[in-house]
């Protein structure tokens, strides 16, 4: 457990220095190949948990400290152990003992183990009162940055608390059944025969009762099913593709939406992404599913002259880079890495991508604009500006019971997404 805690502290340190949690964990697995699956799972639990509840944990730690703690390693160690003491079922004495042992390794200060021991035992004595005091503050209550809370409160006065609470929940695991190979009901029966509980969400989406390794999914390697959020599964059907169409997925990685498009119709698909490493996942997805796109290209959607062959597209899917404020339950580091100014920067880039891709669309064609964001600067407000600039663009209606004006807010069954479908006169 000491190795697990030490590596978790290192991961948190890198994340709070600006690195992506997903990327840091992948690097950690590569540099520590002898870690067991149980150790990896424990490191993930500690880091995801500490980041998910960081606002609360940090507020409580500050209440426990008599003076500022400048040793960041000790601070991160205390945060992950406060998380364990409150949210895990491990015996408190074992958690404290492991934390004290880890402190000896992480800090050269002689008093570090005693400080960690005293703080954690003080928390155990006063936990109920401390938790209540921490939640008097917005950041301590909702475990989001104050600017984020303020923005959601202003933009969604009736729903902001539900959004913030959904962000702090463990994400569910949702499957997309490949209906070219098997019916949804037939695959759900297959799951049941393997003792795997699942419920239908909509379309081809099945939500598992309990997440599990993909290796345990029947037919996964044969391409019967993929893992994809139910909200993301709305994209391909919304684009209204037909057999024979020339289609562009402009920001394709990791390939879930591209693969879904190929499952719905026989199209000529170009899968484009600017990240060559992420494109390998797109290719792997297609190989597993048994579908092959027309082209997989490493290129920037903002610079079509570098990759476009000049043939206009019937359909374009633009799942643009965004703040990712709708997928915080899956990526809890996002809320602590983002800054208020980032939202405007993303919106500016999104508008440029949208305007560029619009020039590649046939008259009579359709473009689906997507973000995994709940911030209106990236969504409804941007759409209004785009329509003011493009006289040949109009919005086509998208109807779904879970959406309000194209916005899907996160909850226990899916992440937050925004959809806008444009037609070209």
């Amino acid at each position: 457990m000491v190795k697990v805690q030490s590596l978790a502290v290192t991961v948190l340190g890198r994340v709070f220095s600006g690195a992506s949690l997903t990327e840091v964990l992948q690097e950690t697995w590569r540099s520590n190949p002898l870690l067991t699956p149980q150790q990896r799972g424990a490191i993930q639990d500690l880091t995801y948990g500490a980041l998910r509840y960081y606002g609360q944990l940090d507020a409580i730690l500050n209440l426990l400290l008599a003076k500022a703690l400048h040793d960041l390693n000790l601070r991160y160690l205390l945060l992950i152990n406060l998380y364990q003491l409150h949210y895990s079922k491990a015996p408190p004495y074992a958690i404290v003992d492991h934390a004290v042992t880890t402190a000896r390794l992480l800090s050269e200060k002689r008093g570090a183990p005693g400080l960690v021991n005293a703080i954690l035992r003080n928390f155990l004595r006063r936990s109920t009162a401390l938790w209540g005091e921490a939640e008097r503050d917005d950041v301590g209550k909702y475990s989001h940055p104050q600017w984020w809370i303020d923005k959601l409160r202003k933009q969604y006065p009736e729903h902001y608390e539900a959004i913030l609470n959904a962000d702090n929940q463990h994400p569910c695991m949702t499957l997309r059944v490949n209906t070219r190979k098997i019916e949804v009901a037939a695959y759900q029966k297959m799951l049941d025969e393997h003792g795997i509980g699942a419920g239908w969400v909509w379309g081809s989406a099945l939500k598992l009762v309990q997440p599990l390794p993909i290796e345990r999914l029947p037919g996964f390697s044969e391409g019967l099913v993929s893992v994809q959020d139910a909200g993301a599964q709305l994209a391909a059907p919304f684009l209204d593709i037909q057999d024979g169409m020339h289609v562009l997925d402009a920001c394709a990685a990791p390939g879930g939406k591209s693969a879904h498009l190929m499952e719905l119709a026989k199209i000529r698909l170009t899968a484009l992404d600017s990240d060559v490493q992420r494109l390998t996942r797109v290719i792997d997805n297609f190989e597993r599913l048994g579908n092959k796109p027309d082209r997989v290209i490493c290129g920037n959607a903002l610079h079509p002259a570098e990759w476009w062959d000049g043939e206009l597209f019937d359909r374009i899917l633009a799942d643009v880079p965004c703040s990712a404020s709708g997928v915080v339950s899956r990526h809890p580091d996002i809320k602590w890495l983002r800054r208020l100014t980032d939202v405007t920067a993303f919106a500016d880039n999104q508008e440029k991508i949208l305007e560029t891709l619009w020039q590649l669309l046939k008259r009579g064609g359709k473009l689906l604009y997507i973000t995994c964001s709940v911030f209106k600067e990236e969504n409804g407000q941007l759409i209004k500006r785009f329509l003011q600039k493009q006289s040949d663009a109009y919005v086509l209606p998208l109807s779904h019971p879970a959406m309000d004006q194209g916005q899907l807010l996160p909850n226990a069954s899916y992440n937050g997404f925004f959809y806008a479908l444009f037609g070209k006169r």
Side-chain angles (χ1 to χ4, degrees), residues 175-184 186-188 190-191 194 204 206 217-227 263 285 287-291:
L175 310 180
R176 184 189 75 244
V177 179
N178 184 351
T179 53
R180 275 193 175 273
K181 296 188 174 184
I182 188 170
E183 296 295 327
V184 175
Y187 188 78
Q188 189 169 7
M190 186 182 294
L191 289 176
H194 283 76
S204 303
L206 294 174
L217 294 173
F220 181 82
S221 59
E222 292 80 18
L224 297 187
V225 68
S226 298
V227 178
E263 292 168 10
N285 268 331
E287 289 179 351
R288 181 180 61 83
L289 294 167
N291 291 327

Side-chain angles (χ1 to χ4, degrees), residues 194 302 319:
H194 283 76
L302 283 170
D319 185 2

Side-chain angles (χ1 to χ4, degrees), residues 35 39 71 172 216 237 244 256 259 297 301 327 356 416:
L35 287 173
Q39 287 174 317
D71 187 326
C172 63
R216 287 190 54 200
I297 301 174
V327 295
T356 301

Side-chain angles (χ1 to χ4, degrees), residues 201-264:
V201 183
W202 53 53
S204 303
L206 294 174
K207 175 184 172 182
L208 298 185
V209 174
Q210 292 290 339
L212 48 76
I214 57 174
E215 294 80 11
R216 287 190 54 200
L217 294 173
F220 181 82
S221 59
E222 292 80 18
L224 297 187
V225 68
S226 298
V227 178
Q228 187 182 33
D229 184 83
Q233 292 187 42
L234 297 177
F238 279 162
L239 195 56
D240 184 31
I241 57 172
Q242 307 295 328
D243 286 352
M245 282 186 170
H246 189 213
V247 180
L248 170 67
D249 185 351
C251 306
K257 296 180 181 68
S258 284
H260 197 185
L261 288 169
M262 295 285 286
E263 292 168 10
L264 295 181

Side-chain angles (χ1 to χ4, degrees), residues 43 55 60 62 74 118 149 157 187 205 236 291 302 348 357 364 378 389 396-397 399:
I43 292 168
I60 288 172
N62 288 334
L74 283 186
I149 298 167
Y187 188 78
N291 291 327
L302 283 170
D348 290 343
L357 294 176
E378 302 176 85
K389 293 180 180 180
L396 290 159
S399 177

Side-chain angles (χ1 to χ4, degrees), residues 47 81 112 115 132 287 370:
T47 52
N81 281 279
L115 176 65
E287 289 179 351
I370 311 168

Side-chain angles (χ1 to χ4, degrees), residues 109-121:
K109 297 180 180 179
R110 294 178 60 186
L115 176 65
V116 167
N117 181 67
I119 288 174
L120 295 180
R121 293 193 181 281

